[in-house]
C-alpha cells in the first residue's frame, strides 16, 4: 500500500500544480479531473486494505481466544500476529509480505515447531502452486496410492534414500483424509522442514473456521512427524 502511494505521488503532485499561462482552461480542468481520479483510486485502495487487515486482526482474536495465544499488535494499521504454545508445541500465525513495490505479495503464514525432527524437507500443495512459491527445485513427486489425494495434491521431497517411506508414514490415511476434508485453497503451500511445519497461503485469510482447520491439520502433522522421527 505504501509503495503504491509513493508510486502515485509524483503524478498527483504533477497534475495538481497550478497550470502556467500557456495552458487553456479546458486543459486545466482535465488536469484536475485526472488528479481527482488518482486520489480517489488511492483512497479506495486504502479503504479496502484497511478493511482486509481489520478482518484479519478480528480473526486472529478468535484464534487467540480459542487456543490461548498472545496477540502482538502491528505498527500503525498493519496486520497483527498471534503466538504461543498449543499442546506444548510453539505455534505462530501472522501475515508476511514478500517482494517489493508493485510485485509484492502478502501471505498468511502459520507454523508449528515439532518436538522432534525428521531431517528432511517435504512440500505439499495443489497443481502449479510450486511455480508461484518458486520452491521444490530438484525435488521429486511422491504418490501415496490414494487416488483422491494424489489427484488433488502434489507431494514433493528430495531425492534421498528412504524418503518415500518417511512421507507415507507422515501422510497416512488419517492425514490424507484430513487434507481432503479441509477444503484447502488452490494458493496454499505446506512445508515440512526438519522440525518446522509451515503453512502459507496467498493474501490475508479471514475465514476463522478455515484457519481452525488449518491449525488442527498442522497439529496433526506435528504429531505424525514426531512419531516418524522416533
Amino acid at each position: 500500500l505504501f509503495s503504491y502511494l509513493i508510486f502515485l505521488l509524483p503524478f498527483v503532485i504533477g497534475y495538481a500544480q497550478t497550470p502556467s499561462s500557456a495552458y487553456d482552461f479546458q486543459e486545466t480542468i482535465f488536469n484536475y479531473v485526472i488528479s481527482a481520479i488518482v486520489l480517489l483510486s488511492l483512497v479506495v485502495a486504502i479503504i479496502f486494505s484497511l478493511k482486509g487487515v481489520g478482518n484479519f486482526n478480528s480473526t486472529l482474536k478468535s484464534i487467540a481466544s480459542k487456543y490461548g495465544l498472545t496477540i502482538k499488535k502491528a505498527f500503525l494499521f498493519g496486520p497483527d500476529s498471534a503466538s504461543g504454545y498449543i499442546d506444548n508445541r510453539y505455534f505462530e500465525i501472522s501475515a508476511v509480505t514478500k517482494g517489493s513495490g508493485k510485485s509484492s505479495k502478502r501471505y498468511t503464514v502459520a507454523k508449528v515447531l515439532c518436538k522432534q525432527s525428521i531431517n528432511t524437507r517435504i512440500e505439499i500443495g495443489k497443481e502449479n502452486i510450486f511455480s508461484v512459491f518458486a520452491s521444490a527445485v530438484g525435488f521429486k513427486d511422491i504418490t501415496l496410492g490414494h487416488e483422491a489425494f494424489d489427484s488433488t495434491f502434489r507431494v514433493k521431497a528430495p531425492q534421498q534414500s528412504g524418503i518415500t517411506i518417511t512421507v507415507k508414514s507422515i501422510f497416512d490415511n488419517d492425514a490424507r483424509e484430513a487434507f481432503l476434508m479441509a477444503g484447502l485453497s488452490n494458493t496454499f503451500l505446506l512445508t515440512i522442514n526438519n522440525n518446522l511445519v509451515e503453512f502459507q497461503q496467498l493474501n490475508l485469510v479471514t475465514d476463522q473456521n478455515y484457519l481452525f482447520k488449518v491449525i488442527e491439520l498442522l497439529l496433526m502433522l506435528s504429531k505424525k512427524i514426531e512419531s516418524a522421527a522416533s
Side-chain angles (χ1 to χ4, degrees):
L1 179 60
F2 289 107
S3 61
Y4 182 59
L5 173 60
I6 293 172
F7 174 75
L8 289 178
L9 196 56
F11 297 97
V12 175
I13 294 174
Y15 280 121
Q17 287 177 344
T18 303
S20 66
S21 57
Y23 286 94
D24 58 23
F25 179 74
Q26 289 182 340
E27 213 164 2
T28 302
I29 294 299
F30 176 77
N31 287 344
Y32 277 104
V33 169
I34 294 298
S35 179
I37 292 173
V38 172
L39 286 173
L40 180 61
S41 67
L42 177 60
V43 169
V44 171
I46 291 173
I47 291 173
F48 275 99
S49 178
L50 292 179
K51 182 179 179 181
V53 170
N55 290 340
F56 179 77
N57 290 346
S58 178
T59 299
L60 282 195
K61 289 180 181 179
S62 299
I63 292 173
S65 176
K66 179 175 180 177
Y67 293 101
L69 305 176
T70 300
I71 294 284
K72 182 178 179 181
K73 302 297 292 183
F75 178 70
L76 292 179
F77 304 108
D80 297 335
S81 62
S83 62
Y85 285 85
I86 306 176
D87 295 340
N88 295 317
R89 297 172 181 86
Y90 180 77
F91 172 83
E92 178 182 312
I93 182 168
S94 61
V96 176
T97 300
K98 299 182 180 181
S100 60
K102 293 164 56 176
S103 63
S104 65
K105 295 180 180 179
R106 181 174 277 172
Y107 299 84
T108 299
V109 179
K111 58 182 71 175
V112 175
L113 285 178
C114 306
K115 299 176 184 178
Q116 297 186 59
S117 174
I118 57 171
N119 299 317
T120 192
R121 181 182 180 95
I122 302 168
E123 298 189 353
I124 176 171
K126 294 189 177 180
E127 194 69 30
N128 299 325
I129 194 62
F130 296 97
S131 61
V132 174
F133 284 90
S135 59
V137 177
F139 282 23
K140 66 177 181 179
D141 287 308
I142 295 180
T143 56
L144 302 179
H146 187 290
E147 184 177 353
F149 183 90
D150 290 336
S151 63
T152 305
F153 303 101
R154 292 182 66 186
V155 180
K156 288 182 171 289
Q159 305 267 359
Q160 64 185 60
S161 176
I163 189 62
T164 300
I165 295 175
T166 300
V167 170
K168 287 186 175 181
S169 67
I170 295 172
F171 294 93
D172 60 10
N173 189 64
D174 290 341
R176 295 192 296 265
E177 291 297 332
F179 266 87
L180 290 169
M181 294 296 293
L184 295 170
S185 165
N186 290 331
T187 60
F188 91 93
L189 178 69
L190 190 144
T191 303
I192 299 171
N193 190 11
N194 296 324
N195 70 327
L196 173 67
V197 186
E198 182 178 62
F199 173 92
Q200 302 177 68
Q201 184 168 312
L202 187 62
N203 298 322
L204 293 179
V205 180
T206 58
D207 183 340
Q208 68 178 31
N209 291 325
Y210 177 85
L211 288 176
F212 287 154
K213 292 179 183 178
V214 168
I215 293 170
E216 293 302 321
L217 200 59
L218 296 181
L219 293 173
M220 171 191 283
L221 287 178
S222 68
K223 294 174 184 178
K224 294 187 180 298
I225 290 167
E226 292 161 5
S227 178
S230 62

